[in-house]
Amino acid sequence: MTRQDVLVTAEELACELAGPRPPVLLDVRWALGAPHGGAAYRAGHLPGAVFVDLETELAAPPTPAAGRHPLPAPADLQAAARRWGVRDGDRVVAYDAVGGTSAARVWWLLRWAGLADIRLLDGGLTAWRDGGLPLETGEVRPAEGDVVLPLVASGRPGMPTVDADGAAAWPAAGVLLDARAGERFRGEVEPVDPRAGHVPGARSAPTTDNLTPAGTFRPAAELAARFAALGVDGAAPVAVYCGSGVTAAHEVAALASLGLPAALYPGSWSQWSADPARPAATGGE
């Protein structure tokens, strides 16, 4: 993948929306502590955008054994994509109001399910507004789509994952990145999961450091330098986790924009910390 495969600017998207077959727009308004973005969506969203509920459409029900946001069943994801109006051959663009850190969940899921033409609006809703581009209110209910997700048809995922055992072993031969805030990695606070700390051997790489103060992805050279400092230079395999597999997807997207593949640990810390047999490291960076 390249940066153009992962991101689209507001100006570029506006041109595509004026074309003969505009992309399907997905509004993924969600944030930790504010998971219900429907009201914000209805108050103002990109023209034609469909609201996507991260809690119910982009995750299976939570359990201690699987974490707070387990991967949805492929057939359930396909049914959701059809509700969003996605048809075979459609381009898809996802956005949010938090720099892509929640929209990256649907970006990753649809790529995991085998769709290649899914991008993130760089800078999200803020970039669109700052460009003087229009919003609309209310709710969009598209006609049912007919997309067939390749994962449903073949059973072969398009993006790699790792389980808890794989995450435990990963640092011995590769780089395991923890995309949560530094204070959570160090075990100083833990607002939502059973225990504080991190997977032993992981390196702290907060997702927010992928972004500029304006909420856009940092330039490629800056991102490359950031990840190189963490030991990610293409020489060793990379895996990423976070609290529940949401913001880690943003880190996977940032790496993908540099042509660096990375596996995602979907259960992440919410699954790991619920298992008393799994060790929790603290401190470090």
Side-chain angles (χ1 to χ4, degrees):
M1 274 184 260
T2 67
R3 193 174 179 96
Q4 289 69 36
D5 295 321
V6 177
L7 301 172
V8 60
T9 68
E11 182 180 11
E12 291 166 342
L13 179 58
C15 291
E16 291 184 20
L17 290 174
R21 188 170 181 179
V24 175
L25 297 183
L26 304 180
D27 184 309
V28 193
R29 222 76 69 89
W30 180 94
L32 188 63
H36 305 296
Y41 159 81
R42 290 187 291 273
H45 55 80
L46 271 64
V50 178
F51 179 67
V52 174
D53 190 311
L54 187 147
E55 295 287 334
T56 62
E57 296 184 295
L58 303 183
T63 69
R68 284 187 281 112
H69 293 110
L71 297 185
D76 291 341
L77 182 61
Q78 178 173 279
R82 290 179 174 184
R83 285 196 302 274
W84 307 330
V86 181
R87 298 169 296 160
D88 276 329
D90 276 347
R91 311 184 83 185
V92 180
V93 174
Y95 73 92
D96 57 32
V98 285
T101 55
S102 59
R105 173 73 173 196
V106 76
W107 174 88
W108 185 91
L109 277 175
L110 289 178
R111 285 188 175 271
W112 168 72
L115 290 191
D117 206 345
I118 164 79
R119 293 164 295 158
L120 294 169
L121 173 57
D122 195 13
L125 187 65
T126 299
W128 185 266
R129 283 173 169 157
D130 289 350
L133 295 164
L135 297 176
E136 66 179 21
T137 58
E139 190 163 357
V140 174
R141 295 187 181 277
E144 185 86 359
D146 63 2
V147 68
V148 176
L149 298 181
L151 178 59
V152 175
S154 71
R156 293 190 296 272
M159 295 287 275
T161 60
V162 60
D163 61 12
D165 288 340
W170 201 275
V175 180
L176 180 64
L177 300 179
D178 184 318
R180 297 173 300 158
E183 58 269 24
R184 290 183 70 192
F185 173 88
R186 294 187 295 271
E188 295 165 5
V189 298
E190 182 44 65
V192 288
D193 292 321
R195 288 183 290 155
H198 59 266
V199 176
R203 304 178 189 185
S204 180
T207 285
T208 50
D209 288 352
N210 296 328
L211 299 170
T212 68
T216 57
F217 276 69
R218 291 164 63 176
E222 290 184 16
L223 280 177
R226 182 210 177 194
F227 288 118
L230 290 163
V232 179
D233 56 9
V238 182
V240 187
Y241 74 93
C242 58
S244 63
V246 175
T247 59
H250 191 278
E251 197 114 289
V252 174
L255 288 161
S257 75
L258 301 171
L260 296 169
L264 179 73
Y265 171 25
S268 285
W269 187 248
S270 61
Q271 179 189 54
W272 182 283
S273 62
D275 183 350
R278 300 281 178 190
T282 57
E285 290 295 341

